Every structure is written in C-alpha cells, then in structure tokens.
Amino acid sequence: MPHYDPKSPKADEFIEHKEILETLEYADEHKSDIGLIDSILKKARPRWEGGVLHCSGLDHREASVLLACDIPEVTEKIRALAEEIKLAFYGNRIVLFAPLYLSNYCVNGCLYCPYHLKNKHIPRKKLTQDEIRAEVIALQDMGHKRLAIEAGEDPVNNPIEYILESIDTIYSIHHKNGAIRRVNVNIAATTEDEYRMLKDAGIGTYILFQETYHREGYEKLHPTGPKSDYAWHTEAMDRAMSAGIDDVGLGVLFGLDKYRYEFAGLLMHAEHLEAVFGVGPHTISFPRVKPADDIDPDEFDNGISDEIFEKIIACARIAVPYTGMIISTRESENVRKEALRMGISQISGGSRTSVGGYAQEERPHDTEQFDVSDQRSLDEVVKWLMEGGYIPSFCTACYRVGRTGDRFMSLCKTGQIQNCCHPNALMTLKEYLEDYASPETRQLGLEMIKRELFSIPDEKVRATAGRYILDIEKGGRDFRF
Ligand code: SAM
C-alpha cells in the first residue's frame, strides 16, 4: 500500500468542484443519448471471466449520465441491472445492525442536527460505562451482534479515551448467548494518531458522513466548531486509512445540497480512496435529512422524492458493485423495501436514536437525533426480511478473521462470497432463531435455512455448515467460515 503523504491528498484535488460541474454538464448533454447509455449499461453488466465473476463498475461521469437520464424505459433498465448486480455479489443476504448513541454533547454548529451547540431545548446526556452495559445487554437481548456507535464531537465530554473505554466495555459484555462482535464507529473526523487508537481497539468500519461535498454549501451548513473545516473533514478517510483502518464508510446526507452534485462527489471520493489505498470504501450509507428537535427538513431546499432516492441507490449499486450499501430506520418500511431491491446490503433494525434509549421501556424522544420512520422491532424486521425472500444475517466473520479491506474485496470479486457469507449468514440466523426469535419468526427461519442450505455450491462447505447449524441447537455458537 502506498504510504500516505499528509501533504498530498488535498480535499479540493480529489473532490474537484470544476470536475463535478463539468460532469453534470456532460451528463445533461448525454442524458438522452441512448447509444451511450446502452454502452454504459453494457460495460457495467456482471460477467464470468476465467471462472471469476467480474463487474467493472462505472466512473463518476458514466454513473452521472445514468442518474441524469429521465427516460422511463432507461430507468427500468437501471433498476433491473442494479438488482442483477446486487444478486450476483450479495445474493439475498441482508446484514443487520443497530446504532448505539453514547453522547449528544457536541460543540459543532451543524444546521441540520439537533445536537448543535446552540440547541438549548434538549437535555445533554453522556452514558456512563454502567449505562453502556445496560444498553448493550438490551441490544444483545434483541439479538444484535453488530453496532455502530455514535457520538457528538466534544473534546472535553467525549474525548477519544471515553470512546475507547466504551468500545472495550461493549466488547467485554457477554450476556446469556449474546456478544457484540463488531463495533463500527461513527464519530467526528480526528487525527491519524486517534485513528490508530481506534484501529488498536478493534473497531470494524470507521464511518463518517461527508454530509455534503459542495464546499460552499458545507461551510454554510457548518458555521462553527471543528467540523466547519471542510478540508479536515473531507480528508478524514485518508488519515483513517493511513492509520491502518481498512474499512471506511462514506455517506452524504441527502437533502442538504443538489443530489446530482453529491452523487458525483461521493463517487469521486470512492475513486480517490481506491487510487491511493488500493481499496475503495467498505460501505456507503444513504441517509436523508429527517425532522428532529429544532430541525425542519423543509428549511433545506434540496429534498428528494422517494423515486429519485431509489434511483440514486440503483446507480450507486451499478457504479460500485463491491461496496456494501446501508440504509437506516430514517426511512420507512416501504422505502426500505425498494432500496433493498435496488442494492442495499445492510440495514438497521429496532433502532433507538436517543442516548440511553434501549434500556428504557418506551422509546424516549428528548435526546433523539432524528425521528425514526421504521419503528418495528428487530424480530418484526427479521420476519419481514424472510417474507421478502431475504436471509437476515448477523454475520461478523470477515472482520473477526481479518478479512477486511482488500482481502474482503477479493472474496467478493471472486464470487467466493457464496461459499463463505452464505453459510455464515445461515449459521448466525440459526443462532438468532434459537436465542431471540418469536415462535412465528423461528418457524419461518428454520424453513428458510433448510431451503437455503442447498444453494451452497461447494459440497464440503454445505455439509460442514449443515453440521454446525445442527450443533447450534445443542448450544454450539460462534462458528464461521
Ligand atoms: N458527530 C459525528 C460527526 O460529526 O460525524 C457523528 C455523527 S452523527 C451522530 C451521525 C450522522 O447523523 C451525521 O453524520 C449526520 O449525517 C446525521 N444526521 C444529523 N442530523 C440529522 C437529521 N436531522 N436527520 C437525519 N440525519 C441526521
């Protein structure tokens, strides 16, 4: 991996405003050019080459042409191709996770976020290690194995030492058969040294949403606090990857600025990481601005319809076929259903976005970061996924056996995911069914496992997975390929 020179990747060089404007112009000029659009779709189609499933993806210009095209038949082709790619690389597995809010203390002034410093209506709260324990036990009792921790930026209240101690606490809790096996981290941009500390603490993905790639818009939306430094924020993933964090997660907060600008910026960011570090982002999240205390999404002019939102997801699936794509409970059941078809591979379930929300009987609203649209329990989400033909997966194996960064990508690129992720998904689903599911969900899940075991291509893997799955009934846990 090339050594990162802190002077080289300047945000404005890899998110080049002029290039984005030219891309949008190019996309407008060619959005009805059926010949070009067909050739782009053809290039992006998955194909077998020498026994290996291959997909070339698209660059930001090509993908922007697809996004700009508003011919209904082409939109249908885009959706069909996104679905084909999703099935080819991710199959019917959907990974589940939950956010865990540690603290809403924040010194930033982000105009879209209720945690902004000037908001005096909300109580400020930071979980103690004992409170984190109670939250994690509640999450384990739901069946979660994978968390994303969230915190506002506040060097005094939420210093890196607090985050590291919290990660240690989370990993140390083993309640009944429960365990959190992967802690992803969504905290503000920080230094390379602190990223190294996070890496040493055994984090999964480091997630940081860019919010907007439009520098001028960014500076208006972030008038005060450390997050107001656009370059510091935009170059964060370079520092994280230089510090050895293999898996990073990008995202735009859709609704803040023009979606076509954001889409091109997002892909340019992914291209930059791939070019410098040899591996692109592990995940891309797709959040939209939601109502929250002191926040009215209608105050931002760039809200997008569900239709456009789904098209963005489909175009991203085609452009970055190997990248995991995430949608949260910000979105309703219906939007999530379509998004899953278009390419989403990970969703949250049973989420509470308040600090200390899980250990309480009722969903508390006072410290909520945003309004949750999909308020179903994890069991309801698991059942719903299976009714839609998806395998809910609680798998965290890649991370635990060191298959991160380019090692995960090569698994994905060689199509071996079917012999690895597929049995792991079934085993972790079986663990969930045994330990946490309602009787109806359990029944549905056992039938699904029986059916799906037969689709594991390698005979030996199939037999071993079958044996492990039976062992789970007798108390065996924690198997993985
Ligand atoms: N403080 C960290 C940071 O600055 O990146 C952690 C982020 S915050 C806990 C997680 C994300 O929530 C933010 O990056 C932002 O995109 C999103 N968010 C903030 N306000 C929101 C709102 N009103 N609706 C939807 N998402 C929101």
Side-chain angles (χ1 to χ4, degrees), residues 9 15-16 38 60 78 81 96 138 150-151 172 203 225 252 272 287 385 388 393 410 440-441 443 445 463 465 475:
I15 307 295
E16 200 196 336
D38 275 345
H60 59 277
I78 291 171
L81 179 57
L96 286 154
E150 313 273 342
S172 73
I203 68 161
V252 154
H272 162 73
L385 284 174
S393 173
S410 79
E440 308 87 78
T441 304
Q443 187 53 35

Side-chain angles (χ1 to χ4, degrees), residues 65-97:
V65 172
L66 295 188
L67 186 59
C69 173
D70 48 17
I71 303 167
E73 301 84 76
V74 175
T75 302
E76 272 323 296
K77 281 189 191 172
I78 291 171
R79 292 169 70 98
L81 179 57
E83 218 178 323
E84 186 186 339
I85 292 174
K86 157 93 191 293
L87 275 175
F89 290 100
Y90 284 88
N92 55 349
R93 292 171 303 280
I94 300 294
V95 168
L96 286 154
F97 75 98

Side-chain angles (χ1 to χ4, degrees), residues 146-418:
R146 179 189 288 247
L147 300 183
I149 56 171
E150 313 273 342
E153 180 166 16
D154 185 327
V156 174
N157 287 297
N158 318 329
I160 192 71
E161 291 74 17
Y162 169 69
I163 304 292
L164 296 172
E165 190 187 357
S166 305
I167 294 169
D168 260 4
T169 300
I170 296 168
Y171 278 134
S172 73
I173 299 163
H174 298 279
H175 173 65
K176 298 185 182 159
N177 282 329
I180 299 303
R181 297 167 174 166
R182 180 173 176 124
V183 178
N184 297 333
V185 173
N186 185 358
I187 60 164
T190 187
T191 60
E192 209 175 308
D193 279 348
E194 294 197 353
Y195 284 127
R196 213 164 282 120
M197 293 179 198
L198 288 171
K199 155 101 185 151
D200 292 344
I203 68 161
T205 311
Y206 171 66
I207 301 162
L208 181 70
F209 299 162
Q210 176 64 30
E211 321 298 7
T212 172
Y213 283 97
H214 191 280
R215 187 192 253 269
E216 214 182 299
Y218 182 99
E219 285 165 357
K220 282 193 189 129
L221 288 160
H222 303 93
T224 53
K227 194 164 170 175
S228 62
D229 184 338
Y230 172 84
W232 176 251
H233 189 79
T234 309
E235 292 167 17
M237 293 313 193
D238 292 85
R239 295 193 296 279
M241 292 188 92
S242 297
I245 296 179
D246 283 335
D247 291 348
V248 299
L250 305 181
V252 154
L253 188 54
F254 285 101
L256 297 181
D257 215 304
K258 304 266 182 295
Y259 72 91
R260 287 177 52 207
Y261 189 101
E262 304 292 24
F263 181 73
L266 187 61
L267 292 184
M268 284 168 78
H269 199 175
E271 287 161 13
H272 162 73
L273 296 178
E274 172 107 41
V276 177
F277 298 98
V279 57
H282 186 65
T283 56
I284 297 181
S285 298
F286 292 84
R288 282 194 285 187
V289 188
K290 297 287 298 175
D293 186 275
D294 210 32
I295 307 298
D296 174 3
D298 292 339
E299 280 175 21
F300 306 98
D301 302 332
N302 298 299
I304 48 173
S305 65
D306 293 348
E307 220 178 357
I308 294 287
F309 187 53
E310 284 157 22
K311 193 166 173 200
I312 293 171
I313 291 172
C315 290
R317 179 72 297 156
I318 296 171
V320 285
Y322 306 112
T323 303
M325 292 185 9
I326 303 179
I327 200 161
S328 75
T329 54
R330 286 178 182 85
E331 299 298 335
S332 66
E333 174 180 335
N334 277 342
V335 171
R336 298 211 312 161
K337 186 173 165 200
E338 273 312 291
L340 285 172
R341 273 188 52 211
M342 293 303 103
I344 293 295
S345 55
Q346 275 190 41
I347 64 171
S348 45
S351 304
R352 292 194 170 177
T353 64
S354 29
V355 183
Y358 293 106
Q360 296 183 37
E361 199 65 30
E362 289 293 314
R363 188 165 71 103
H365 295 289
D366 57 348
T367 59
E368 224 166 32
Q369 197 197 16
F370 52 82
D371 191 27
V372 170
S373 296
D374 187 344
Q375 294 178 15
R376 292 172 298 170
S377 68
L378 181 62
D379 192 71
E380 286 168 322
V381 172
V382 166
K383 183 160 170 277
W384 169 74
L385 284 174
M386 294 192 296
E387 284 165 349
Y390 296 105
I391 306 173
S393 173
F394 293 89
C395 184
T396 53
C398 281
Y399 157 73
R400 288 187 292 148
V401 298
R403 244 178 347 238
T404 56
D406 54 354
R407 289 170 299 285
F408 168 75
M409 287 299 167
S410 79
L411 181 85
C412 199
K413 287 179 183 172
T414 53
Q416 272 311 308
I417 221 161
Q418 274 299 96

